[in-house]
Amino acid sequence: MLNSLFSQMLPRDQTTEGNLSSVVAFVLLGFSDLPNIQGFLFGIFFLIYMSILIGNGLIIIITRVDSVLQTPMYFFIANFSSLEICYVSVTLPRILVNLWTQDRSISWLGCATQMCFFLMLGATECFLLAVMAYDRYVAICNPLHYPLIMNHKMCVQLAVGAWLSGIPVQIGQTCQVFSLPFCGSNQINHFFCDIPPLIKLACGDTSLNEMCVFVVAILFVMIPFLFILGSYVKIISTILKLSSARGRSKAFSTCSSHIIVVLLFFGSATITYLRPKSNHSARTDKMLSLFYTIVTPMFNPLIYSLRNKDVKTALKKLLLK
């Protein structure tokens, strides 16, 4: 469906006013400014990709097979791990191919498809992190009603909503970006097709596109983040009222992993998409993008396993089998 939609927007390779030919393919410069360590980078990114697949895959497996982990919290953690695998698979395989072959070209349609899936999965991550915060809020602030509120049907509905709600908006945003005329350089100074570096290549006035990026970032990044922040204000307030020190410690431990992931993801994404255009630089954008596209998925299994006794116990049982 996406391919047929984008194919209708494919630019024609013909001369336009001003004797400029329309761009029909792009070049992802990526890490071409580091020619002496291409093999080293390939090895590092390959190990990172394997660790993300194995680590998040193990979390999905143990939350399915261990009866102790059949709870709403681990249901959402399993969804989050599945999302991380999909999210990183949009960008990392292309990075590995570019580093291995040194062929950094990507078709117009391939670039549009990559961007669309990246944006859709990024929106899903924002909403899913908000859903996980809501789950912790209900568990700590309304523990007696938790089984009633967070029943299986509600968990499935929240997860499906997180996965699907960003799709129409992000398809529209991708179509808007690729409707711009690209009639100059086709070199994207980034390691994947993202909005800021692509808008830089567009001809003509891009102020409307920049405004739309800002509005969408507010809707899909800032609003979920503020919801998460509000949830944790109430959670912390409730925890501090607990009379038992052990109870406070246990409550904090169930939330700390989620807070770390939220800070890593939202911090880098907010700086990337909400800071003024004048402050954008290719090097900074690449470094920030590495955090929310690669670093967070890589640390997700470590954060949720090393800081969680139930997960560590389930992992030991699985490995012993």
Side-chain angles (χ1 to χ4, degrees):
M1 185 183 76
L2 287 176
N3 282 352
S4 65
L5 178 65
F6 293 145
S7 62
Q8 296 175 13
M9 301 166 54
L10 279 170
R12 307 300 176 202
D13 190 13
Q14 60 186 9
T15 303
T16 59
E17 292 181 20
N19 293 325
L20 291 172
S21 298
S22 297
V23 171
V24 294
F26 296 98
V27 176
L28 291 167
L29 294 181
F31 304 99
S32 58
D33 56 336
L34 303 169
N36 298 326
I37 58 170
Q38 297 292 294
F40 174 75
L41 288 174
F42 176 86
I44 292 294
F45 283 121
F46 179 78
L47 291 175
I48 289 173
Y49 190 41
M50 289 299 103
S51 69
I52 290 170
L53 296 181
I54 294 169
N56 285 287
L58 280 173
I59 286 181
I60 295 167
I61 292 169
I62 63 173
T63 53
R64 295 288 294 174
V65 301
D66 196 295
S67 58
V68 176
L69 304 183
Q70 302 295 312
T71 65
M73 183 176 79
Y74 294 108
F75 170 78
F76 292 123
I77 288 176
N79 266 269
F80 190 69
S81 291
S82 302
L83 172 64
E84 295 289 52
I85 290 173
C86 297
Y87 188 54
V88 79
S89 295
V90 173
T91 55
L92 252 181
R94 167 63 67 171
I95 294 172
L96 292 172
V97 169
N98 292 352
L99 289 170
W100 182 258
T101 64
Q102 295 300 301
D103 178 10
R104 298 184 175 86
S105 63
I106 183 171
S107 68
W108 191 97
L109 183 59
C111 191
T113 303
Q114 185 188 52
M115 175 188 283
C116 189
F117 277 102
F118 173 78
L119 293 175
M120 289 191 297
L121 293 170
T124 299
E125 183 148 353
C126 293
F127 287 133
L128 197 53
L129 286 169
V131 167
M132 293 167 77
Y134 175 70
D135 171 68
R136 292 297 82 208
Y137 163 76
V138 177
I140 293 171
C141 299
N142 294 289
L144 297 178
H145 296 96
Y146 182 69
L148 181 65
I149 297 172
M150 299 304 292
N151 56 62
H152 181 69
K153 183 180 178 181
M154 174 60 75
C155 290
V156 171
Q157 287 175 341
L158 288 172
V160 170
W163 279 92
L164 299 181
S165 53
I167 290 176
V169 174
Q170 300 301 357
I171 289 177
Q173 187 169 41
T174 303
C175 291
Q176 185 188 45
V177 170
F178 280 87
S179 295
L180 290 168
F182 296 99
C183 50
S185 172
N186 68 339
Q187 295 187 339
I188 302 173
N189 196 1
H190 210 15
F191 54 87
F192 69 97
C193 293
D194 199 9
I195 295 177
L198 267 163
I199 286 182
K200 285 182 180 179
L201 299 183
C203 306
D205 183 19
T206 60
S207 56
L208 177 62
N209 299 83
E210 291 163 20
M211 178 61 70
C212 288
V213 170
F214 186 81
V215 171
V216 171
I218 292 290
L219 291 173
F220 288 91
V221 179
M222 285 306 297
I223 290 178
F225 179 73
L226 291 174
F227 176 84
I228 293 169
L229 188 64
S231 298
Y232 274 106
V233 167
K234 293 197 172 185
I235 287 170
I236 293 170
S237 174
T238 302
I239 291 173
L240 292 175
K241 292 176 184 176
L242 295 175
S243 56
S244 167
R246 185 178 178 183
R248 288 196 297 270
S249 176
K250 185 177 180 181
F252 271 121
S253 68
T254 62
C255 299
S256 58
S257 301
H258 182 247
I259 292 172
I260 293 169
V261 174
V262 166
L263 292 176
L264 277 173
F265 179 79
F266 279 99
S268 52
T270 300
I271 296 170
T272 299
Y273 291 102
L274 291 180
R275 76 184 195 276
K277 183 183 176 183
S278 58
N279 293 340
H280 277 268
S281 72
R283 187 177 294 273
T284 305
D285 285 348
K286 287 180 190 178
M287 292 301 297
L288 289 169
S289 298
L290 283 174
F291 266 93
Y292 61 83
T293 58
I294 296 173
V295 174
T296 302
M298 180 177 66
F299 283 127
N300 175 44
L302 295 174
I303 291 168
Y304 281 115
S305 60
L306 294 179
R307 302 179 61 84
N308 191 303
K309 291 180 180 178
D310 292 335
V311 173
K312 285 191 284 188
T313 303
L315 271 173
K316 287 177 184 177
K317 286 197 293 185
L318 180 67
L319 293 175
L320 287 174
K321 287 182 181 180

